[in-house]
Amino acid sequence: MKHNHLRIAAATALAAVAVGVAAPAASAVEAHRERAVAGQAAEALQPTAEDVRDLISRMRADGADADRIREFEQYARQLENPAAHQRVKRALGMGTIVRKLIVAGLRHGGSWAGKIVGKVSKKSGAFLSRNGNKIADAIEDVEGWSETALAVAMVKAGVPTDVAHDIAKAIMMVAL
């Protein structure tokens, strides 16, 4: 009888060790897969030169700021020929221009804004299409862009909480 208890205890200990070793390994594999999928999704959401040029044409039609249009034109050229611009260091950095593109995309629409809308729920997408200017105004001056900071800014501007969280999540998918 005692011998069976020892066998059961040994089997239990062996199983615990196996699970203790396997669980972190499985978690690591799953995390790696999630990062790979997120990386592919984020890469697909990065603005292309065509996306930026579409936004520029909409901005011109809306009478947007000429300096901002010139900045976006320069960025579109960089996207078309990245090797020619590799040596040039920009003071503002990649994140800043993408943030400006997101705000302009929300304000003026276009194919790239459609990519953002496509990442949110149907309800949030509909709200975004009706209130793009309101949302752009709310997030334009947020300094430290994070999902929480963007959602809080939108809620303060009158965007429903669930919609604000959905849109903030979609924006961060694009911004990163």
Side-chain angles (χ1 to χ4, degrees), residues 3-120:
H3 207 43
N4 282 341
H5 288 302
L6 288 176
R7 286 183 194 171
I8 292 171
T12 303
L14 184 58
V17 168
V19 169
V21 170
S27 291
V29 168
E30 178 136 348
H32 178 71
R33 284 184 191 146
E34 287 175 5
R35 279 193 304 273
V37 168
Q40 290 170 350
E43 188 175 300
L45 293 175
Q46 291 300 310
T48 64
E50 185 178 311
D51 294 335
V52 176
R53 294 204 188 285
D54 176 66
L55 178 58
I56 290 169
S57 68
R58 291 172 183 277
M59 291 173 71
R60 280 193 178 118
D62 291 345
D65 180 41
D67 290 335
R68 182 64 43 95
I69 290 172
R70 276 192 294 279
E71 183 180 15
F72 289 171
E73 286 172 337
Q74 179 182 5
Y75 184 64
R77 284 191 298 274
Q78 288 176 341
L79 289 173
E80 289 172 338
N81 189 7
H85 300 280
Q86 230 172 11
R87 292 174 295 170
V88 178
K89 288 199 175 195
R90 291 175 289 143
L92 293 177
M94 174 69 164
T96 302
I97 192 75
V98 171
R99 289 178 184 186
K100 290 178 181 180
L101 284 167
I102 290 169
V103 171
L106 293 171
R107 203 176 297 287
H108 301 283
S111 62
W112 198 50
K115 289 180 182 179
I116 297 171
V117 173
K119 295 298 172 188
V120 297

